Amino acid sequence: MTALQRAAAFALLAAASFALMGSLIKFATAELNNPMVVVLRNAFGLLVLAPWLFRHPLNRLATARPGMHLLRCVIGLSAMYCFFFAIGELPLATAMLFNYATPLYVPLIAWLWLGEKPAWRLLPIVLLGFAGVALILRPGGDSFADWAGLVGLGAGVLAAAAFVSIRRLSRTEPPLRIVFWFTSLSLGLSLLPLFWAWQTPSAGALGLMAGAGLCASGGQLALTRAYSLAPAAQVAPFNYLVVLFAAGLGWLIWQEVFDPLSIIGALLVIGSSLLALRRR
């Protein structure tokens, strides 16, 4: 098996893991409110990462930029709240698609925040992606559905801002330190809403969230392995199979179906996101 074939296998495994994570979270949202889902996701995520994080000397985790780490955490945590809310209220594949549309927003946010002016050739690509988003959202008479769609869209924008903040942090901070501060601060900040939003989770809900944490960590490890075996431009297209897997799970479990305009919109978003990645 060639390196590219192994990379594709790991990328497929990552996509399947992330789709399964989304379905487990969707099941959990039937019992738990959004703050509980977020805090359990962070708790189990930190539990899975703890052996790796604390295998390193503590002085490697010290930072001279706590404010920037806090800002990155607030942005990333806000994206997580929006994403999990969208998973609970939208078709699973739609929520996943909005979250994976980050390549459309990163050039604009990097321009505004870091002063990295994008190439003019990116503009029509981004506009094409926005047209796809509009076809999926299509505001109509259901105000709550419109609101949930906008929250899902916001999850992608905030995730893109989180990526840009990592880019800024990585100028001085190693990956280990970025991961440590994000996971630790995320758990601490997500505990605050529980003063008024606490729910005692059942054993089933805890099992679902533990499974979601394992799937997320396993997906990240598989994706990291894929990128270590092949160039990013060759691995990136496989990432969007998560939308296909999520659509399959949504159809099998929740009987979620899509109309032709939504399918066209999804193809536009995925196609333009891949083009934006290649241009970048």
Side-chain angles (χ1 to χ4, degrees):
M1 185 180 285
T2 66
L4 180 57
Q5 289 172 329
R6 283 185 288 144
F10 277 111
L12 282 170
L13 177 60
S17 297
F18 290 135
L20 183 56
M21 176 207 73
S23 64
L24 292 172
I25 288 173
K26 194 172 182 70
F27 273 119
T29 58
E31 176 184 333
L32 301 174
N33 59 36
N34 200 34
M36 284 297 302
V37 170
V38 171
V39 76
L40 288 174
R41 167 64 185 87
N42 286 327
F44 284 116
L46 184 58
L47 188 64
V48 170
L49 289 172
W52 174 71
L53 288 172
F54 294 105
R55 199 170 54 193
H56 302 272
L58 290 179
N59 61 352
R60 291 187 60 187
L61 304 177
T63 181
R65 304 181 67 186
M68 190 61 203
H69 281 286
L70 180 60
L71 177 61
R72 180 264 187 278
C73 176
V74 169
I75 296 171
L77 193 59
S78 299
M80 194 181 298
Y81 277 109
C82 292
F83 181 40
F84 291 170
F85 176 84
I87 286 177
E89 301 298 335
L90 297 173
L92 182 60
T94 302
M96 288 290 183
L97 179 63
F98 282 151
N99 199 57
Y100 275 75
T102 50
L104 299 178
Y105 315 124
V106 166
L108 300 177
I109 295 173
W111 184 16
L112 294 173
W113 192 351
L114 305 182
E116 298 177 356
K117 189 173 181 179
W120 67 268
R121 291 172 296 177
L122 272 175
L123 182 58
I125 295 172
V126 171
L127 292 176
L128 189 66
F130 288 165
V133 170
L135 283 176
I136 297 170
L137 284 177
R138 294 202 312 276
D142 189 342
S143 58
F144 182 78
D146 293 345
W147 165 249
L150 290 174
V151 172
L153 180 63
V157 175
L158 287 166
F163 291 151
V164 174
S165 69
I166 293 172
R167 184 181 179 90
R168 186 168 182 177
L169 269 172
S170 64
R171 293 172 178 173
T172 60
E173 305 289 89
L176 171 69
R177 195 177 300 158
I178 294 174
V179 171
F180 169 77
W181 280 96
F182 176 70
T183 52
S184 303
L185 287 172
S186 291
L187 179 58
L189 291 178
S190 62
L191 286 170
L192 296 178
L194 299 191
F195 283 106
W196 62 86
W198 169 261
Q199 287 180 296
T200 301
S202 66
L206 285 174
L208 289 170
M209 292 310 302
L214 285 172
C215 286
S217 298
Q220 290 288 353
L221 290 172
L223 193 59
T224 301
R225 181 62 175 154
Y227 278 113
S228 72
L229 290 168
Q234 294 178 325
V235 174
F238 292 98
N239 293 342
Y240 288 90
L241 288 174
V242 69
V243 179
L244 184 61
F245 291 146
L249 288 170
W251 177 70
L252 287 171
I253 301 171
W254 294 282
Q255 290 76 55
E256 296 171 349
V257 294
F258 295 90
D259 58 83
L261 284 179
S262 295
I263 294 173
I264 293 172
L267 292 175
L268 287 175
V269 170
I270 292 173
S272 57
S273 296
L274 288 173
L275 285 172
L277 281 171
R278 292 183 70 85
R279 293 296 187 187
R280 294 286 289 174

